[in-house]
Amino acid sequence: MNEKNKKKNPQNSAFITQHSSLITHRAFDFAVRIIRLCQYLEKQDRVSRTLANQLLRSGTSIGANAEEAQARQSKADFIAKMSISRKESRETLYWLRLLEATQLVDQHMITEIIKESDELVRILTSIVKSAQQGKKQ
């Protein structure tokens, strides 16, 4: 972030920095859990393997885009990467809910990861909205 934006709203800037750093760590840990779940799904039937591929792509992309946002070239670049991360987190939540609804995975295996996925969506939404508000100032 440039000094001009920090002077306009230092609280917004601190919020974004703190939460974007937190999200990269949480998204990495989440990706590890997604990979393990997908390894389990790969051993199941064809439908489970197909869903595992979708889940693996979206679930690991969350952290990758959040990491890219950390090396932003501009505020707009940061917002774009975090927005992609948010979209991927929403897609991941969809696949997880689908696995739960179709009972392809036992409830005890998926409850916590769905909760974490929902929290990632909320955090990323907050980061994107805060960054967009800071851009308007």
Side-chain angles (χ1 to χ4, degrees):
M1 276 181 247
N2 64 35
E3 290 301 313
K4 186 177 178 183
N5 285 342
K6 285 184 180 180
K7 288 178 184 175
K8 284 184 177 180
N9 191 346
Q11 290 175 332
N12 189 20
S13 178
F15 172 86
I16 293 167
T17 301
Q18 177 186 8
H19 285 82
S20 63
S21 178
L22 169 71
I23 198 71
T24 57
H25 294 296
R26 283 185 73 168
F28 182 86
D29 292 342
F30 181 76
V32 170
R33 293 175 71 188
I34 289 291
I35 290 168
R36 290 185 181 139
L37 176 59
C38 289
Q39 287 172 327
Y40 167 80
L41 291 169
E42 283 292 323
K43 297 175 187 172
Q44 307 307 312
D45 63 13
R46 185 172 161 260
V47 170
S48 296
R49 288 190 303 272
T50 301
L51 293 175
N53 289 333
Q54 295 290 341
L55 181 61
L56 185 63
R57 277 192 276 280
S58 64
T60 56
S61 181
I62 299 165
N65 281 290
E67 277 293 335
E68 283 188 49
Q70 300 305 307
R72 63 197 170 265
Q73 295 175 347
S74 66
K75 184 85 162 207
D77 186 37
F78 176 82
I79 292 169
K81 293 297 182 192
M82 282 298 192
S83 293
I84 293 169
S85 190
R86 178 178 58 178
K87 285 181 182 182
E88 295 293 340
S89 66
R90 292 178 66 85
E91 180 181 344
T92 300
L93 182 57
Y94 172 83
W95 295 123
L96 290 169
R97 288 180 24 234
L98 188 60
L99 286 169
E100 179 184 46
T102 57
Q103 299 175 346
L104 292 171
V105 177
D106 291 336
Q107 185 76 32
H108 75 276
M109 289 181 67
I110 202 159
T111 301
E112 287 301 312
I113 200 165
I114 287 175
K115 181 181 172 190
E116 178 67 8
S117 183
D118 184 58
E119 289 177 15
L120 289 173
V121 170
R122 292 172 193 271
I123 293 167
L124 286 161
T125 297
S126 180
I127 290 169
V128 170
K129 285 182 178 179
S130 293
Q132 289 171 333
Q133 288 172 353
K135 188 176 180 184
K136 293 176 185 175
Q137 295 176 348

